Amino acid sequence: MKKIIFNYIPLLLLFLSCNSLAESDLETLKIEDFNWTVNIPENFKPINKEEWNKTLTKGINAIENTFEQEVENQAVTIFTYKNGQFNNFEANWQPFDFKIDGDYLETYSGVNKMIYQTIETQMPDAKLDSVSSTQKVNGLKFQRFDISIDLPNGIKMRTIGFSRLFNKKEFTMNITSVDEKIEQKMLDAFLNSKFE
């Protein structure tokens, strides 16, 4: 279960990202591994690898400090885009083997609990709420996990994670935001994307 946590680290990083970004044109990506076509929303810019690695390291450290366990990183980043300081659109995948990782839905549920607990531990003054559900995207059923985070300074953060297995690859799409309009653009981009 430890390696799966890595897919959800962006959900922990809303408050750790700090760079402003310039506008970019609408971009369409075709991800061959998943026969997936997605339009990146307007005014989003790719995050460079060095910056993303620093952000991931902070997230890994938060999990390791909460559970006093080492996190195994097997995730492969598909893309990471940002709009402003805290609005992030990120997709990744990692291997999933039933023989090693167990039942997918049980593992997925356990990881969500760990993510919630990590945020609760790392942000003790925040008010949290979460909901698990399923949602279809282009006819495919995805697991969905939403977390709302109300900070004492008045900032309202939200994370939405979508996951599903494609053979032996767990695909994850993460949306993090502090702006409802920008969140809706990211959500629409994913929900309107195509898996062929």
Side-chain angles (χ1 to χ4, degrees):
M1 181 155 48
K2 291 181 232 174
K3 70 179 177 116
I4 295 171
I5 292 171
F6 189 78
N7 275 14
Y8 298 89
I9 288 173
L11 301 179
L12 301 172
L13 301 177
L14 293 166
F15 66 101
L16 299 174
S17 305
C18 300
N19 293 320
S20 297
L21 299 168
E23 294 184 2
S24 66
D25 296 327
L26 183 66
E27 183 177 356
T28 299
L29 300 180
K30 174 71 176 173
I31 312 303
E32 298 295 336
D33 285 348
F34 300 96
N35 293 318
W36 178 41
T37 304
V38 60
N39 292 320
I40 304 302
E42 290 181 331
N43 303 323
F44 275 73
K45 184 175 179 180
I47 301 172
N48 70 52
K49 187 175 181 179
E50 182 180 324
E51 178 186 350
W52 187 242
N53 285 340
K54 287 179 185 176
T55 303
L56 291 176
T57 299
K58 289 179 184 178
I60 290 170
N61 289 340
I63 293 169
E64 290 180 342
N65 290 337
T66 300
F67 292 97
E68 297 180 356
Q69 295 181 41
E70 186 175 340
V71 173
E72 182 182 349
N73 169 11
Q74 291 188 353
V76 176
T77 300
I78 298 171
F79 61 73
T80 57
Y81 283 82
K82 272 185 147 181
N83 177 325
Q85 195 172 17
F86 300 111
N87 303 296
N88 188 24
F89 192 61
E90 182 265 343
N92 64 64
W93 71 271
Q94 71 173 0
F96 190 94
D97 185 337
F98 291 101
K99 293 178 185 175
I100 297 168
D101 303 310
D103 179 78
Y104 178 67
L105 292 180
E106 285 179 17
T107 302
Y108 175 79
S109 177
V111 169
N112 289 344
K113 289 176 186 174
M114 293 178 82
I115 293 302
Y116 188 94
Q117 187 177 340
T118 299
I119 296 171
E120 192 173 47
T121 301
Q122 298 297 318
M123 305 171 81
D125 296 328
K127 292 181 182 177
L128 304 180
D129 192 18
S130 67
V131 63
S132 294
S133 61
T134 60
Q135 183 155 15
K136 287 198 174 182
V137 178
N138 194 212
L140 299 178
K141 182 178 173 182
F142 284 79
Q143 300 302 312
R144 178 173 169 165
F145 186 56
D146 296 42
I147 303 176
S148 298
I149 307 165
D150 292 347
L151 297 172
N153 62 6
I155 293 177
K156 294 182 184 291
M157 300 181 182
R158 198 161 127 88
T159 69
I160 307 170
F162 296 91
S163 294
R164 72 167 276 130
L165 287 181
F166 287 86
N167 295 317
K168 292 189 175 184
K169 292 181 178 179
E170 180 186 25
F171 169 91
T172 301
M173 177 78 233
N174 293 304
I175 293 170
T176 57
S177 65
V178 294
D179 183 301
E180 289 181 16
K181 290 181 181 177
I182 295 174
E183 175 190 297
Q184 192 60 52
K185 288 181 181 180
M186 292 186 280
L187 192 54
D188 289 345
F190 180 62
L191 296 179
N192 292 318
S193 67
K194 304 295 181 191
F195 293 88
E196 299 173 8

